Each structure stands twice: as structure tokens, then as C-alpha cells.
Amino acid sequence: MDGLTGLPEAVETLYPQTRVQLCMVHMVRNSLKYVSYKHRKEVAADLKLVYGAATEAEAQVYLDLFAEKWDRLYSSISKLWRTHWSRVIPLFAFPEDIRKVIYTTNAIESVNMTLRKVTRNHRIFPSDEAVYKVILWTEGDFEIDFNAANASTRTTTTRNTTGLLMEAMRLMDEASRENTAVETP
């Protein structure tokens, strides 16, 4: 989640088993909003220690160290992170390789942008299959740049996600049909 007010609560209400995790890029941006330009790099580096920690306990230690160092100037930052801590820590349940991809919502935003680009010129789709076909026909356009996930190595990896997206759409369609069938008396 990227910090949209009420969205995490709505998701948790609809899907109680969901782990809601905030986007670390958005958390850092919000944290740096009121930081002096001369301190930005250092504050950002110290925050990276928090969300880049190996475990939740280590992250808590880094957050405490951050607070000791910066609360005199920017107390709102550690307060922000502590307030949202329950939505920061789900990140630590995953291995580091997965964390590099999910710590930000950039990949999801890239999928959404590509979907808008592909479907922009179509006013209406006669069926679900028509949407699937349009996406499949544009398979070459449907690539996502995971540069943010590989920032530590400074390499750009591009993965074609059409098959994965199509499978997700098919599963969502099946689930919605099952829910409709259950709800209908």
C-alpha cells in the first residue's frame, strides 16, 4: 500500500487474512518531506538501515538508533515510522530476494500503467475474453522494469509478465464467479 488514507483498513475489512504492508519508498518520501536538504542523504541512508534490516528485531534497533540521532531535529520521522510499524514489519516475513521486489509498489504501478496504455483506445470490451486477447496481443509491450528491486546491484532486469497477469486475471475471474454463485440465493 502506498499510504492512501483508509485503503489498508478497507482491504483488511474485506480480506481479514491479508497482510498489509506499506510501500517503503513512500514512507521514505513522506519522512523526507520536512528534512533540510543538507540532511536528506544522511537521513535517507539511516532509514534504509531500518527497512533494509535482516529481521524485525534488527529493524527496531535501527529505528531506535535513528530516533536517538535525529529526534532532536526531526522527531516526526521516528513517530511516523512507529505509528505505522505494524504495516512496516510484514516485509520482514519474507526472504531478502523477495523483499527487494515487494518493498515498493513500483512494480504494481508499472503493471497498472501498462494496462492503461494497452486498453486506452478501447472504449468498451464485449467480454472478459476480449480483454485477455488485447493483453496477449500486446505481449511485447507488457514488460515491467524491476530496476528499483535491483538498485543495490544497479542492474536492470526486465521480465515479461503477461503469462503471470493472465493467470491472475483468470483466477480473479473464477473467484468472482464463485462469490457471485454463493451470494445468489
Side-chain angles (χ1 to χ4, degrees):
M1 302 278 167
D2 59 3
L4 296 172
T5 305
L7 186 59
E9 292 82 6
V11 169
E12 289 170 335
T13 301
L14 289 172
Y15 306 101
Q17 300 299 317
T18 301
R19 288 188 222 166
V20 175
Q21 173 196 308
L22 293 177
C23 172
M24 295 300 110
V25 172
H26 286 91
M27 283 289 291
V28 172
R29 277 187 201 149
N30 288 338
S31 299
L32 296 178
K33 224 184 270 186
Y34 304 107
V35 174
S36 164
Y37 184 75
K38 68 179 183 177
H39 294 138
R40 279 180 181 241
K41 285 185 180 180
E42 192 176 356
V43 169
D46 289 345
L47 286 173
K48 188 173 184 175
L49 293 173
V50 175
Y51 68 82
T55 64
E56 178 185 341
E58 186 179 321
Q60 183 66 55
V61 169
Y62 281 124
L63 183 59
D64 292 341
L65 291 172
F66 179 91
E68 285 177 25
K69 181 176 180 179
W70 292 108
D71 271 4
R72 192 175 52 79
L73 294 172
Y74 308 111
S75 62
S76 61
I77 296 174
S78 63
K79 183 180 177 189
L80 172 76
W81 282 74
R82 290 183 201 288
T83 300
H84 295 293
W85 193 247
S86 66
R87 296 214 170 103
V88 170
I89 59 174
L91 181 68
F92 302 108
F94 299 96
E96 188 177 345
D97 289 346
I98 293 174
R99 275 193 249 164
K100 287 180 181 178
V101 175
I102 66 170
Y103 85 99
T104 178
T105 57
N106 288 346
I108 296 165
E109 291 169 5
S110 180
V111 168
N112 290 336
M113 180 202 62
T114 304
L115 280 173
R116 281 193 300 274
K117 184 174 93 174
V118 167
T119 60
R120 177 183 320 149
N121 296 327
H122 301 276
R123 296 266 184 231
I124 195 165
F125 290 97
S127 67
D128 290 349
E129 273 187 51
V131 176
Y132 300 148
K133 285 179 183 178
V134 167
I135 292 171
L136 280 174
W137 287 336
T138 58
E139 186 171 342
D141 295 337
F142 210 56
E143 293 181 349
I144 299 174
D145 179 7
F146 281 87
N147 190 31
N150 297 315
S152 61
T153 59
R154 293 290 176 221
T155 60
T156 302
T157 305
T158 304
R159 298 180 187 163
N160 189 312
T161 59
T162 304
L164 180 61
L165 181 68
M166 294 303 293
E167 181 64 15
M169 290 172 72
R170 186 186 63 73
L171 291 172
M172 288 189 306
D173 186 47
E174 283 179 14
S176 69
R177 287 181 186 174
E178 288 174 10
N179 289 339
T180 304
V182 171
E183 292 171 8
T184 308

